[in-house]
Amino acid sequence: LAKTTQPISMDSYEGQEVNITCSHNNIATNDYITWYQQFPSQGPRFIIQGYKTKVTNEVASLFIPADRKSSTLSLPRVSLSDTAVYYCLVGLYDYKLSFGAGTTVTVRA
Amino acid sequence: GAVVSQHPSRVICKSGTSVKIECRSLDFQATTMFWYRQFPKKSLMLMATSNEGSKATYEQGVEKDKFLINHASLTLSTLTVTSAHPEDSSFYICSARKPKREGAYEQYFGPGTRLTVT
């Protein structure tokens, strides 16, 4: 399983863009990068998944450089309700996802 | 997206009794489901992989006789905590693996079950 490293916490204000970078130096050729969001006492919610370059959906963008050793989740114009723990996971065929500590994002008014 | 449900959402049981938690994929078939445990302010820990029609695969340190997993259909996996003790009190979360057209997979998580053993 590719190990991931991400910041423990980040603070932001409403309306700002939040970028969370995750390092995954040992990513395998077939691995995808997936980000999840978790609120207290809830299961993680799928945010976005990508393999290379850039992926965008209605809630976030995921930027993956050519070497794929890192990825950046971008949350545009965050609101108070975006306060949560964000997890970066790497895997596919070895599909047992291993959760790291995640990044606690706190959005303030 | 996809929907995964868990039942019950919350359960309190006495020490020594058994508790069954259900995990269902509501709008897709899942040949593989996963069970996680999460302690307060900690990350999710994978307990076992549940495969439809075959025995579950347990992670190191997880007692298979204590945490019984059954994946009887493509939409249902159950976790039974046998002879529960207070240290089994935790938040149990299941996930279901959904294939994508491009060959990748996405995992969708249930809302979790809070187990309290008194």
Side-chain angles (χ1 to χ4, degrees):
Chain A
L1 292 172
K3 182 178 165 57
T4 60
T5 303
Q6 49 184 123
I8 294 296
S9 64
M10 296 182 73
D11 288 345
S12 183
Y13 290 92
E14 284 190 291
Q16 289 188 332
E17 179 182 82
V18 171
N19 296 306
I20 310 170
T21 296
C22 177
S23 296
H24 28 79
N25 291 318
N26 297 323
I27 188 169
T29 303
N30 294 329
D31 284 342
Y32 278 68
I33 300 153
T34 311
W35 285 80
Y36 290 89
Q37 174 193 56
Q38 187 182 29
F39 298 112
S41 295
Q42 293 187 27
R45 182 177 77 104
F46 175 90
I47 300 176
I48 197 166
Q49 183 181 76
Y51 182 79
K52 61 180 180 180
T53 62
K54 176 184 174 182
V55 180
T56 298
N57 62 22
E58 61 275 8
V59 298
S61 293
L62 179 59
F63 299 92
I64 306 168
D67 66 5
R68 303 200 329 121
K69 293 184 183 299
S70 68
S71 60
T72 299
L73 174 72
S74 180
L75 305 172
R77 300 182 60 78
V78 294
S79 63
L80 295 175
S81 62
D82 292 317
T83 293
V85 179
Y86 292 81
Y87 295 99
C88 161
L89 293 99
V90 175
L92 169 60
Y93 295 109
D94 184 7
Y95 54 68
K96 294 191 298 184
L97 298 181
S98 176
F99 282 79
T103 297
T104 298
V105 172
T106 304
V107 181
R108 305 180 194 281
Chain B
V3 181
V4 176
S5 71
Q6 278 183 246
H7 178 80
S9 58
R10 215 175 253 280
V11 58
I12 300 172
C13 71
K14 291 185 188 280
S15 189
T17 62
S18 295
V19 172
K20 180 186 283 189
I21 303 170
E22 293 185 350
C23 176
R24 292 181 187 273
S25 55
L26 297 185
D27 52 359
F28 65 99
Q29 293 184 331
T31 55
T32 304
M33 293 183 173
F34 303 90
W35 287 95
Y36 295 82
R37 181 165 53 180
Q38 186 175 33
F39 292 107
K41 297 195 183 300
K42 298 293 184 183
S43 188
L44 283 79
M45 284 176 36
L46 179 65
M47 299 175 67
T49 302
S50 171
N51 297 300
E52 188 267 336
S54 65
K55 290 185 179 181
T57 305
Y58 292 82
E59 294 301 299
Q60 192 171 9
V62 177
E63 300 174 59
K64 63 179 180 182
D65 294 329
K66 181 169 185 62
F67 299 100
L68 302 180
I69 291 172
N70 184 277
H71 194 152
S73 77
L74 288 172
T75 59
L76 173 64
S77 175
T78 60
L79 169 69
T80 301
V81 183
T82 63
S83 187
H85 289 101
E87 56 265 32
D88 297 324
S89 298
S90 188
F91 192 53
Y92 291 87
I93 308 170
C94 72
S95 72
R97 188 169 171 239
K98 179 182 179 184
K100 288 167 60 175
R101 257 182 302 179
E102 310 86 72
Y105 293 90
E106 293 172 351
Q107 275 196 39
Y108 291 90
F109 287 80
T113 296
R114 174 76 58 196
L115 170 63
T116 303
V117 184
T118 61

